[in-house]
Amino acid sequence: MSGPLTTLHQEGRLAAEWPAVRGLLAELDGDDAALLRAGRHLARLDPAEVLAAHPATPAPVVRVTGNGTLAALGPALTAEFARHGLLARVTPSDFGSWVFELGDPGSALYAGLAAATGPAFALCVLDPALVTGEPAPPWRAGDVRRILDEKVTLVERLAEVFAATARGATLVLNTLPLPRELTGQLVDLRERARLGAVWREANARLLRLSRPEVVVVDLDPLIAEGVPAREPRQSVYAKAGLSDALLAAYARETGHVARQAYGLAKKCLVLDLDETVWGGVLGEVGPEGIEAGEGYRGEAFLRFQKVVKQIGTQGVLLAAVSKNDAEPVLRTLREHPGMLLREEDFVQVRANWRPKHDNLAELAKDLNLGTDSFVFADDSAFECGLVRRELPGVAVVRVTEEPALHVERLLRDGWFDVPRLTEDDVARPARYREERTRQDFLTTFDSLEDYLNELGVEVRLAPATPERFARVSQITLRTNQFNLTTRRLQPADVAALAADPGARVLTIASSDRFGDNGLVGAVFLRRDGDTLRIDNFLLSCRVFSRGIEQAVLGAVLRHAGESGARQVRASYRPTARNGKVAAFYPGNGFETVRDGPDGAEFRHVLAGPPPPVAHVRLTADFGDPGLHATTAEQDTP
C-alpha cells in the first residue's frame, strides 16, 4: 500500500502532507519491502522543508558512523522513525572515520549532536569485518581473541568519551554476528568451538555497555528470526558487512529507541478476545467450545496468553475489548480450565456490541490515558482498519488467522520497551485496579468535594535521592499530558541536576485511603538571583484532579517567598498531548509575560501565595532552606 505515499512523492507534496505519512506507513502493516520503498522516498525529503510547513514536528538528529558501507541504512532509518511520527535528520560520516568521530570531542559528529534541540542519536554500526580482516594464516581462536579484546576495549573507551561529551544524546551500538566464513576455516572442531566461545564473550562485553546513554542492539535475535547477516558479494565488493535486510531490522530497533526518548512508549495493551486470546467465536461455540490450552491451536493461543501475562507483570496495563455479551466473556475468563489470562489480569474488560473504537476511547477516559498510549491487537482486518482511521494514535497490531504467529506479531515493534524497569512500573497495574475502587467510592458521594475530603490524599514533596533518579527520568520520558515543557531527561541528566547547587529536583509521592500511589511526579527548580524558576512540572495521569498539582505548586510558591525570592517564573511549551495544562499557571495566580506559538512564560510576584488545599495533607522538604543563587542573569520583562 505504498501507492498513496508514492503519489505524494511524485506530486511533490510529501513535505506539505507530512502529518499523513505516519498513517500511510501504518497501513503497510509488516510489508517490509514496501516500507523500504517508502523510506527511499522519504529520505529524499529536505527536513527543513517539512519543518517549515510543520514546525512542531519532532526532528531528532541522527549521526551515523561505522566500519563498513551503510548506504542502505539511511532510507530504513527514515522510514522507521517516520512510523513513530519522527522526522529523522540523518547525517552519515565519512567511510572508516568512526574511531576519529567518536574519539575526538571536537569532531563533526559531536558538533552535530550538540546543535540538537531535542533527543539526538549517534549510531556506530559495527560489522564482522572489524575483526575478520585482521588474522593472517596460520591463525587460531587465541589470535581472534586478542583482536576481539583490542576492538572491544576500543569501543568501551569510545563509549566513555561519548558519555562524557554528548550530554543528553544516545549512542547506539550493536553486537557482531559470527560469520560461518570465519568458523568454517577451522577444521579442528574443538578449536571452532573455542572461537564461538571467545566471539560470544566479546559480544557479552558489548552488551554490558548498555546504560541509559548507551544502547546495544543485539543482532543475534534478529538473525535467529531468519534475517540474513550478510550478502557475500556486497560484503566483498562494496564493503557492506551487514545485509540490507539486517540493517533494516537494526533500523527498526533504533526507531524503538528514538520512540522511547520522545516519551512515545505505550502503556496499555488492549486485546480482542475471539481468535486473538482464544480460538473460536464465543457467541457461536460457547465457553466450552473455544480453543485454549488443549489441541495444537489451543496450545498456540495459550502460548500467546503466556507472553501477554509476562508483559503484564512488567507494568503494562492489560485490557480487553470484545464484541460479545459480557456474562459469557467473564465466565470464560473466570472458569475456563485452559485459560492462563484471568479476569484479575485485566484493568478492564469491555464486552458489548458497540464499535471497538468507541470502547477504546471510553477506556482511555476511564484510565485517564491518551489513546496514543494504547496498543490494540485484533485478528479482524476491518476492526484494525477502523481503529486506525478513528483513533490514529493507537498502535494497531493485526494478528492473523494463524495463532502460532501471534507472539511474533505482538513483539516485533517493542511497543512497551523502556530503558529501565522500575518498582513503580511493576506496581502500576495494581494501582490502576485500586483506581477502580476509588471510582466506585466516588459514586457513593453527592459531590466531588465530599469525595475528596474522605479520600484522605497525602502528598510528600522531597529532594530526589539517587535510587529515585531512574524513576524521575522515566517520568520525564513517559509523561505527556501533565508535562509543562516535555524536556526528556536520562538518569545521568537527573543526577547532574540533583548535584547542581543552584537547582532542585523534587519528587512527588502520594497515597490515600486505598493505597500508596508511589512516585507520581516531579518538579524541577532553579534559582537565578531573586527569581525561582520552575523549569518543569510533571504529574502522572493516574492522580489528576485530586488537588495534588495545586497543593505542590502552592508549596513551591510559599517556599519561594520564605527563601527570599521576589518572583517565581515558569514556562509552558505546547505539544500535541499537553494542551490540557496550557492554562495551569494562569489558573493558579501567575500572570502571562510572553505568549507565542512556541510557548508561554509566566510570573508570580508572590504577593499572595494560594492557601493550602484543604483536603490534601502535604509534607514538603526542599532540602537546603534556600537554593543557592547562580550567575545566570535575572530575566525580567
Side-chain angles (χ1 to χ4, degrees):
M1 301 228 3
S2 60
L5 194 143
T6 299
T7 300
L8 290 176
H9 167 70
Q10 292 171 341
E11 295 176 354
R13 295 191 294 120
L14 264 180
E17 300 294 334
W18 174 262
V21 167
R22 183 178 181 181
L24 294 175
L25 294 177
E27 291 294 334
L28 300 180
D29 197 22
D31 187 341
D32 293 338
L35 186 65
L36 188 56
R37 288 195 298 271
R40 294 191 186 102
H41 294 322
L42 295 171
R44 297 187 184 103
L45 271 178
D46 181 354
E49 188 179 354
V50 176
L51 291 173
H54 309 285
T57 302
V61 168
V62 185
R63 306 290 301 209
V64 177
T65 191
N67 68 295
T69 300
L70 300 168
L73 185 57
L77 283 171
T78 304
E80 291 294 345
F81 277 53
R83 291 179 62 235
H84 305 299
L86 306 176
L87 176 68
R89 292 181 284 177
V90 182
T91 303
S93 297
D94 292 338
F95 180 84
S97 64
W98 66 284
V99 176
F100 166 76
E101 290 277 19
L102 287 173
D104 181 5
S107 71
L109 182 145
Y110 286 117
L113 297 176
T117 56
F121 307 89
L123 279 52
C124 181
V125 186
L126 305 175
D127 68 62
L130 183 68
V131 176
T132 59
E134 296 207 8
W139 59 267
R140 297 293 183 268
D143 300 297
V144 176
R145 179 196 292 274
R146 285 188 290 274
I147 296 168
L148 282 166
D149 181 67
E150 174 189 330
K151 300 300 183 183
V152 175
T153 299
L154 173 61
V155 173
E156 291 169 340
R157 181 177 65 79
L158 295 176
E160 292 298 327
V161 174
F162 183 92
T165 306
R167 295 285 186 181
T170 301
L171 174 64
V172 182
L173 301 169
N174 61 276
T175 58
L176 297 171
L178 174 57
R180 176 69 175 81
E181 177 184 292
L182 189 66
T183 61
Q185 295 180 49
L186 293 173
V187 298
D188 183 325
L189 295 184
R190 291 177 301 174
E191 192 70 9
R192 186 182 295 178
R194 292 189 187 101
L195 174 60
V198 302
W199 196 279
R200 289 168 175 84
E201 287 164 4
N203 275 336
R205 284 178 61 187
L206 290 173
L207 288 168
R208 292 189 187 102
L209 287 173
S210 291
R211 64 189 96 166
E213 66 273 15
V214 180
V215 174
V216 183
V217 176
D218 190 352
L219 298 185
D220 278 357
L222 305 178
I223 295 168
E225 290 292 327
V227 179
R230 62 193 285 269
E231 201 288 315
R233 290 167 297 181
Q234 287 184 331
S235 177
V236 173
Y237 298 137
K239 302 296 185 288
L242 302 178
S243 71
D244 290 357
L246 188 54
L247 288 176
Y250 167 90
R252 178 176 290 264
E253 298 297 313
T254 306
H256 303 167
V257 174
R259 182 182 66 213
Q260 297 166 32
Y262 276 90
L264 301 175
K266 305 297 184 179
K267 300 176 182 179
C268 183
L269 172 59
V270 187
L271 299 167
D272 167 53
L273 296 176
D274 291 340
E275 296 293 354
T276 301
V277 170
W278 57 62
V281 177
L282 183 63
E284 296 176 357
V285 302
E288 300 78 15
I290 66 166
E291 297 173 291
E294 295 184 353
Y296 74 95
R297 276 175 54 86
E299 290 176 356
F301 284 109
L302 185 64
R303 173 174 170 265
F304 179 67
Q305 290 184 36
K306 185 176 181 180
V307 170
V308 168
K309 194 175 183 80
Q310 167 65 12
I311 291 172
T313 65
Q314 300 169 86
V316 176
L317 306 178
L318 304 180
V321 170
S322 176
K323 283 190 173 178
N324 268 303
D325 293 326
E327 189 279 330
V329 164
L330 294 177
R331 180 153 51 93
T332 301
L333 290 173
R334 292 167 183 164
E335 302 175 5
H336 194 287
M339 291 290 296
L340 181 63
L341 288 174
R342 295 297 185 183
E343 182 184 6
E344 58 269 20
D345 291 312
F346 298 94
V347 292
Q348 275 200 39
V349 177
R350 302 180 70 89
N352 53 51
W353 298 97
R354 300 177 57 220
K356 289 187 178 178
H357 61 272
D358 287 345
N359 275 309
L360 286 169
E362 290 182 5
L363 177 64
K365 184 177 179 181
D366 288 349
L367 298 178
N368 216 352
L369 294 172
T371 55
D372 49 6
S373 296
F374 285 0
V375 175
F376 173 62
D378 198 313
D379 68 297
S380 167
F382 170 78
E383 297 288 0
C384 289
L386 194 59
V387 169
R388 279 199 188 101
R389 188 186 72 189
E390 298 296 327
L391 301 173
V394 175
V396 176
V397 175
R398 191 200 160 197
V399 295
T400 67
E401 65 279 358
E402 176 48 77
L405 301 179
H406 282 15
V407 170
E408 178 187 352
R409 294 288 294 163
L410 177 63
L411 298 182
R412 75 190 302 263
D413 266 310
W415 290 114
F416 305 105
D417 293 354
V418 293
R420 179 179 175 183
L421 196 68
T422 67
E423 292 180 1
D424 290 83
D425 288 326
V426 176
R428 185 180 299 113
R431 287 172 177 158
Y432 270 91
R433 283 190 285 272
E434 289 172 359
E435 185 59 28
R436 294 289 295 177
T437 307
R438 292 184 183 91
Q439 294 302 316
D440 292 341
F441 184 60
L442 172 60
T443 62
T444 66
F445 291 89
D446 295 328
S447 72
L448 179 61
E449 181 180 358
D450 290 342
Y451 163 71
L452 291 173
N453 286 333
E454 291 297 323
L455 190 58
V457 178
E458 296 189 7
V459 176
R460 300 172 298 284
L461 186 64
T465 52
E467 64 269 17
R468 287 302 206 179
F469 291 166
R471 171 59 179 159
V472 173
S473 166
Q474 185 183 72
I475 288 175
T476 73
L477 293 171
R478 301 191 67 178
T479 301
N480 296 294
Q481 296 183 68
F482 198 106
N483 188 337
L484 275 298
T485 65
T486 62
R487 182 186 175 197
R488 312 297 184 182
L489 301 174
Q490 297 294 341
D493 302 317
V494 177
L497 286 172
D500 185 342
R504 281 290 179 276
V505 180
L506 301 174
T507 60
I508 305 169
S510 77
S511 61
D512 56 40
R513 65 183 295 164
F514 293 106
D516 186 356
N517 292 304
L519 200 160
V520 295
V523 183
F524 295 85
L525 304 177
R526 179 173 296 278
R527 190 67 177 261
D528 289 346
D530 62 1
T531 297
L532 181 66
R533 296 186 175 277
I534 304 176
D535 284 344
N536 202 5
F537 188 173
L538 309 99
L539 194 67
S540 168
C541 56
R542 288 189 287 115
V543 295
F544 282 179
S545 304
R546 297 180 194 171
I548 294 174
E549 54 268 49
Q550 289 82 10
V552 170
L553 182 60
V556 170
L557 293 174
R558 286 189 291 277
H559 168 75
E562 293 167 0
S563 62
R566 298 182 60 186
Q567 65 173 343
V568 174
R569 287 293 191 110
S571 58
Y572 164 72
R573 187 174 71 87
T575 70
R577 304 171 73 181
N578 71 352
K580 66 167 56 182
V581 295
F584 174 69
Y585 289 121
N588 286 279
F590 284 68
E591 60 179 332
T592 302
V593 296
R594 181 183 61 83
D595 194 4
D598 61 339
E601 179 87 7
F602 307 101
R603 177 177 64 181
H604 198 293
V605 295
L606 303 175
V613 178
H615 67 269
V616 175
R617 181 181 176 186
L618 183 141
T619 303
D621 174 11
F622 287 85
D624 206 329
L627 300 182
H628 298 287
T630 68
T631 57
E633 184 177 352
Q634 182 177 340
D635 181 16
T636 57

